[in-house]
Amino acid sequence: MVSFAGVASGQDALEASFKSEAPLGWQALEGKISRLSGSFVEVSDTIPNKGNSSKHRPIKVVVEFHISPDAKKVVTDFWDESGKWESRRVHGMNPDYAFKAAQTVQGGDYYITECGNGKTRDDIENIILFAGINLVRSSFGIESDVRTLQEIVQSEGFKILKCTSVPHEGRELVQVKCQFNPIGLAAEQHPGPTTATLLLDPDAHWRVVRSESQYVRRDGQSVSSDMEVTYSDGAAEEANISRIAWHLKDGSGYLTNTVDFSALSNAPIPSSDFYLPSLGLPDCPGINVQGPPSPWKLLLIGINLLVVGTVLAVILRRKFRPRPAP
């Protein structure tokens, strides 16, 4: 158990421990999910402010995810307000290409909507992060930024405002109040700094127990959000999340999300699962695939072998057929 004595010196010791130990802990957590499969059910409910014409509309999605060191895939099923299945979207990336596929009839055939590399790959990777992988990484991330905590702490402009020891359910955790600058799309939406308060567990690789964030959007609207993370029991599952509850409040209303995880597994994932043929589709057109061959390629190889075998048989028959008697 981490313990710190004194008030002033205790805060300095906590901050020093946070700076030196937390990044190593987050690396360990990231390593624990470098190979992970599972699923979660996410229910989002928007509660509009009084006078807002938006509807009170709960939305349910079921997400299946697969993560390996060099590939990722997220399968998302969408359900309408009445509980009727609407569609399935698959986003994946492997060492050869990234792809988007869809299914509009439950249990029916898939079709490719986009695949390739370059900007296509970058866009699909961002969708994969937002569609589910970021939630899986919540033990070392926060609700208001797509980066890991290690990336945030190492970013230019990051600063610690306060670091204290906080009792939580009979244990001492570490609370860090900090400020950092957003990047990418977040920076376009709210270019000013984000102020965050993190409740971290130093006995479990400094994983996130709770986080709160505040920032001001470009239109001047103040936004606040918070996230609480519950974990599976057992030291071997320090990064395995069982439930996430997060909320976002702005001028238009209040958004609440609950995410319940199930069937988490660290078992090896076949590399073929990250390619389009796993959906019964040919590999990405125009891409020289170095990974597992698709059924179409295997069929082509078989036809070629059959043709070559037939030609050889004809040649041999001609060469060794008996000559007519003189």
Side-chain angles (χ1 to χ4, degrees), residues 57-101:
R57 185 167 179 251
I59 300 173
K60 173 185 172 183
V61 296
V62 179
V63 178
E64 175 189 327
F65 60 87
H66 303 275
I67 306 170
S68 76
D70 60 354
K72 298 178 181 69
K73 184 171 75 173
V74 172
V75 182
T76 307
D77 285 293
F78 295 90
W79 305 76
D80 66 15
E81 300 170 50
S82 66
K84 181 182 177 182
W85 184 88
E86 289 186 319
S87 65
R88 168 175 284 190
R89 298 289 185 269
V90 183
H91 298 85
M93 54 188 298
N94 55 60
D96 295 302
Y97 59 84
F99 67 87
K100 293 196 296 185

Side-chain angles (χ1 to χ4, degrees), residues 4-17 163-165:
F4 303 92
V7 179
S9 61
Q11 290 186 16
D12 292 339
L14 276 172
E15 186 171 330
S17 294
C163 193
T164 55
S165 180

